[in-house]
Structure formats: C-alpha cells, structure tokens
C-alpha cells in the first residue's frame, strides 16, 4: 500500500513524526508535562504511546489532531502567547494538554517555558511550608469551627463520584481549604469554595494517570504519594488564582454573589420579559434559585465532565468566573424558559429550577450553552454599569 493521508494531504508517517517531536523533552521534559514529573521506565504518556503504535490502532479525528498540533506549538514555544492560548482554549482543550494549559491560563505557570520547572518546585515547597505552619492549628479553639465545617462539607461533595469518597482525597481537600482560609482571613472558609477545588483536582490527576483510566473512579492508593502531593499543591494554587477574581463572592454578606444575582435578573428582564413576568407572578425570587448558581459556579447543576469543559472557556475569558458566568446563567434560564413557564405554581417552579434536567448532559450540550452565552455577551456589550461592576 499507499500511505494514508489526512484531509490536508499530510501522510500518517508525518503525523507520527509530529507526535514524536511534540512529546520530545526540550529540557528533560515533554512540553505539556510538568518538568519534574518522574516516570518509571514502563510509564509513558498516552500520547507518546499512541505515537509509537500503528495508526491502524490509533487514528485520531483530523480536527482533534490539528488542534493538538496547535496547542503543541504554543506550549513548546519559549514564551507562550497568552492571548493565542485563550483563543485556542475557548472552544475546548484536548485532555493531554488541559492540565498545563489551565495552569498557564490561571497565571500559576509563567509563560516562559524555562521558568516553569523552578516555579513549580518553589510553589509546591511553599505550599508544604504552609501546611507545616498552619495545619496543626486546626484544633485550636479559634480555628476549630472552621475546620469542623470543612470536615463536614468535604465528604458531601460529589457523593456519586468514587474519587471524592476516598479518605486520602478528602484529607487533601481539608488541607487545601483550611490553608486557604488561614491565608485569607477577610473571607475565611465559606461553603461552596469546597466545590471549586474538584475540577482542578480531577484535571491534574488525569494528567498523571493512564489515558484509559477514568479519574472519577480512580483508586488513589495506586498513585505515588509524591505525585499526590504535587496535585494537592497545584490545586491549592490554582484555586487561589481563581478566587482572586471572585473573592467578594465569599466575604461578609457575599456582596459579589448578590451583585451577580441582580445582574442576572436585570439581564433576563431584557432578554425574556415573559419569563420574568411568570416568575414574578408566582413569587419566585432570583436569589431563591440562582444563589447556588453563583456561589457554586453551576457545579451542582452539571456533571463534573461538563464543568471541566465549561471551565476551559471560563479560564479563556479574562473575566470568565464573574461577568461571563452571568451570561451562562442567563443562557441556561433562557434554554428552559418554556418548561419553567409551563409550571403554574411556586413549588413546581422551584423544584424544577433546583433540579434542572442536565444530569445527562454532554460536552455538546455545554458547547451549545456557551455559544448562546457568547451571543448574549455581545448583544449586551453596552449593558448598564451594574454588569460592568461585576468585574470589580
């Protein structure tokens, strides 16, 4: 035979060469892997393994192949262009590069590739120092109530996902949340922050395990302790970066949440007057159903896999977890407007809004929602000051 080619005429052997090149260490590490990650002689990345196999065994869709090529070039460059990375990431990040891309978009990793290894080592050590400094105080009278609330909340997260029911994982979350609360006394720990750790933790875990294993059901006892500590530290720092932009969601009286709820209400008045009138006629207040949407960033409304896809776009937006999130909430309400208006009393409406039929959603559904939110963002680009106020 003839050599098979993709739609751009590139031969399969050329694609194999690309994959082999893109996972080749530049300074002793693959481009999208953490430089200090230690791998046994039998451990190889899913992508590297794929490159070594026949394309009769592995034939990725052309679109995904080309997207992975673009990410590979961006991440391998001496200085990753953040604007280009945001543009490329908005429509979804391929799993093999998601962990590193999220860390870059968060601002945890520097754009300069030669500084990343040193940064990771320094920040992970800094987190270990925080544990030494603070964690033993969790039983002190002044901190006891905070840690007790964390200890209660953590096992309640994602009860249907086996990963988060494992004691060693719960202990990681307890440390992350307690250390964060000690470092941020203006807000301290608030229920809802615990949910925000889970996407980071599962994405960073996926990076270290074989590509055919589902992180949501992974037995964490199979992971080397040192690797788990790196995942914990990276999750802490990325949580901190996320919360820097929405910390007023969790300070006294949660003014950021209140502001976003009012922005959603005002947006829906302009977008769907009939739905607004129906909610008002049935005495349904926005705070009664959308407080959770703002406080937990819709994490209770979607499967975790969909939240991860949603966050690809949130992290690609300069104000994704604040302003753009409100547009996503508006798009979600608009999508179910007919079903809401078909319910004729307060209780039926509230039951529906608190249990939206999204448990079976896929990434395709999330992408349609994001597309609608993107339209709203431009439709209301000249919105009144209350929408712009969410950025502060």
């Amino acid at each position: 035979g003839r050599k098979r080619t993709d739609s751009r005429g590139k031969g399969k052997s050329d694609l194999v060469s690309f994959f082999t090149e893109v996972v080749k260490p530049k300074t002793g590490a693959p481009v999208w892997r953490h430089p200090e990650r230690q791998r046994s002689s039998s451990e190889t990345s899913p992508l590297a393994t794929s490159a070594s196999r026949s394309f009769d065994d592995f034939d990725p869709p052309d679109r995904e192949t080309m997207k992975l090529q673009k990410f590979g070039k961006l991440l391998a460059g001496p200085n990753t262009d953040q604007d280009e990375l945001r543009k490329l990431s908005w429509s979804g990040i391929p799993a093999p590069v998601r962990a590193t891309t999220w860390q870059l978009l968060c601002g945890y990793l520097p754009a300069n590739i030669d500084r990343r290894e040193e940064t990771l080592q320094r920040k992970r050590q800094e987190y270990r120092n925080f544990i030494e400094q603070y964690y033993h105080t969790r039983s002190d009278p002044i901190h006891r109530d905070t840690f007790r609330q964390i200890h209660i909340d953590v096992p309640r997260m994602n009860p249907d996902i086996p990963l988060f029911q494992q004691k060693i994982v719960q202990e990681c979350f307890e440390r992350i949340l307690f250390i964060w609360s000690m470092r941020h006394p203006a807000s301290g720990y608030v229920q809802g922050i615990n949910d925000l750790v889970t996407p980071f933790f599962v994405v960073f875990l996926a990076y270290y395990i074989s590509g055919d294993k589902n992180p949501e059901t992974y037995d964490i006892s199979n992971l080397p302790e040192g690797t788990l500590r790196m995942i914990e530290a990276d999750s802490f720092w990325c949580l901190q970066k996320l919360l820097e932009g929405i910390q007023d969601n969790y300070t006294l009286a949660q003014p950021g949440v209140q502001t976003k709820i009012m922005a959603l209400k005002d947006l829906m008045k302009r977008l769907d007057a009939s739905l607004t009138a129906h909610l008002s006629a049935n005495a349904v207040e926005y705070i009664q159903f959308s407080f959770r949407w703002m406080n937990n960033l819709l994490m209770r409304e979607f499967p975790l896999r969909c939240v991860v896809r949603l966050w690809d776009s949130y992290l690609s937006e300069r104000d994704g977890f604040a302003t753009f999130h409100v547009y996503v909430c508006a798009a979600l309400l608009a999508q179910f407007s007919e079903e809401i208006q078909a319910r004729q009393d307060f209780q039926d409406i509230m039951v529906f809004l608190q249990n939206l039929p999204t448990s079976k959603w896929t990434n395709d559904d999330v992408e349609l929602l994001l597309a609608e939110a993107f339209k709203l963002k431009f439709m209301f680009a000249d919105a009144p000051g209350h929408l712009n106020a969410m950025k502060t």
Side-chain angles (χ1 to χ4, degrees):
R2 295 174 57 191
K3 181 166 62 177
R4 294 171 62 193
T5 61
D6 66 13
S7 60
R8 296 179 61 180
K10 182 176 287 189
K12 289 217 165 190
S13 60
D14 297 324
L15 289 178
V16 172
S17 298
F18 165 76
F19 281 119
T20 304
E21 178 65 25
V22 86
V23 299
K24 184 191 300 179
K26 177 179 179 181
T27 56
V31 227
W32 54 59
R33 285 179 47 216
H34 297 306
E36 75 283 20
R37 177 185 174 194
Q38 298 299 312
R39 207 182 239 148
S40 68
S41 58
S42 61
E43 186 187 9
T44 55
S45 78
L47 192 56
T49 303
S50 300
S52 67
R53 294 203 306 259
S54 163
F55 269 90
D56 292 331
D57 300 319
F58 177 69
D59 192 1
D62 177 68
R63 181 181 172 190
E64 289 303 304
T65 302
M66 304 315 293
K67 189 166 193 177
L68 205 48
Q69 285 185 349
K70 291 178 181 178
F71 271 99
K73 290 174 183 176
L74 266 179
L75 297 176
N79 288 285
T80 300
D81 186 319
Q82 291 287 89
D83 290 335
E84 287 301 313
L85 191 62
R86 285 191 185 96
K87 290 176 186 175
L88 191 57
S89 300
W90 204 98
S91 60
I93 303 168
V97 296
R98 180 174 275 127
T100 300
T101 302
W102 275 25
Q103 291 176 3
L104 282 161
L105 292 174
C106 279
Y108 174 44
L109 280 184
N112 184 281
I113 194 169
D114 293 328
R115 291 178 50 217
R116 291 177 194 166
E117 180 175 0
E118 181 273 331
T119 298
L120 286 168
Q121 291 177 347
R122 175 170 48 82
K123 298 302 281 186
R124 287 167 177 169
Q125 183 58 52
E126 190 175 347
Y127 176 70
R128 287 192 287 271
N129 293 344
F130 288 161
I131 293 175
E132 295 280 336
Q133 180 180 355
Y134 295 111
Y135 200 58
H136 66 90
T137 69
R138 65 192 182 280
S139 56
D140 291 357
I142 193 172
H143 302 315
R144 192 179 296 153
D145 288 346
T146 295
F147 186 75
R148 178 179 173 275
Q149 190 61 59
I150 291 170
H151 188 68
I152 290 170
D153 290 346
V154 166
R156 295 174 177 172
M157 299 182 315
N158 300 288
D160 298 326
I161 298 180
L163 173 69
F164 300 117
Q165 302 313 306
Q166 298 175 56
K167 189 172 186 294
I168 191 171
V169 173
Q170 293 177 358
E171 289 171 349
C172 289
F173 276 61
E174 288 175 354
R175 284 190 293 270
I176 289 169
L177 294 166
F178 184 76
I179 300 303
W180 189 88
S181 71
M182 293 298 97
R183 298 286 298 169
H184 297 84
S187 60
Y189 172 72
V190 176
Q191 287 177 295
I193 294 177
N194 53 312
D195 284 326
L196 307 186
V197 184
T198 56
F200 291 122
F201 194 90
V202 79
V203 166
F204 300 159
L205 171 62
Y207 177 80
Y208 287 100
I209 64 178
S210 175
D212 61 351
K213 290 186 174 66
N214 181 357
E216 294 185 18
T217 57
Y218 186 74
D219 182 352
I220 208 72
S221 66
N222 293 325
L223 199 69
E225 183 179 354
T227 302
L228 182 59
R229 294 293 167 252
M230 289 191 289
I231 293 169
E232 179 182 335
D234 294 345
S235 298
F236 168 82
W237 288 113
C238 288
L239 173 72
Q240 176 162 298
K241 289 290 187 180
L242 185 161
L243 289 174
E244 284 175 3
I246 56 171
Q247 190 165 346
D248 63 348
N249 281 13
Y250 305 106
T251 51
L252 183 65
Q254 300 185 258
V257 169
Q258 304 291 340
T259 299
K260 293 174 182 66
I261 291 171
M262 288 304 300
L264 175 63
K265 182 178 179 179
D266 290 346
L267 193 56
M268 292 308 297
K269 283 180 183 176
R270 303 170 68 185
L271 179 65
D272 194 333
S274 62
L275 175 60
T276 299
H278 184 72
L279 292 175
S280 179
N282 286 279
V284 176
E285 298 290 340
Y286 274 75
I287 195 170
Q288 294 168 321
F289 65 87
S290 65
F291 180 90
R292 186 173 76 183
W293 296 7
M294 304 305 174
N295 191 60
N296 301 73
L297 296 178
L298 293 173
M299 289 204 54
R300 301 287 178 90
E301 322 311 318
F302 300 131
L304 183 54
R305 65 183 180 276
C306 293
V307 172
V308 168
R309 172 61 192 90
L310 187 68
W311 281 28
D312 285 348
S313 296
Y314 278 11
L315 287 163
S316 303
E317 290 274 340
R318 293 188 183 276
D319 200 29
F321 293 94
T323 306
F324 188 67
H325 176 68
V326 174
Y327 291 116
V328 171
C329 291
L332 186 64
L333 261 183
Q335 179 162 340
F336 291 109
S337 178
E338 289 185 9
E339 289 94 326
I340 296 167
Q341 292 184 65
R343 287 160 170 78
Q344 297 300 320
D345 64 67
F346 174 87
Q347 184 174 351
D348 282 353
I349 293 171
M350 284 301 300
V351 168
F352 181 79
L353 285 168
Q354 292 174 343
N355 300 274
L356 293 174
T358 52
S359 62
K360 304 295 185 185
W361 270 29
T362 66
N363 285 354
D364 289 342
D365 297 303
V366 172
E367 287 172 359
L368 288 172
L369 182 71
L370 285 164
E372 289 303 312
F374 190 76
K375 290 179 187 176
L376 294 179
K377 176 183 173 181
F378 279 91
M379 187 184 305
F380 295 100
D382 298 322
H386 61 264
L387 282 177
N388 293 327
M390 291 186 295
K391 299 178 181 179
T392 61

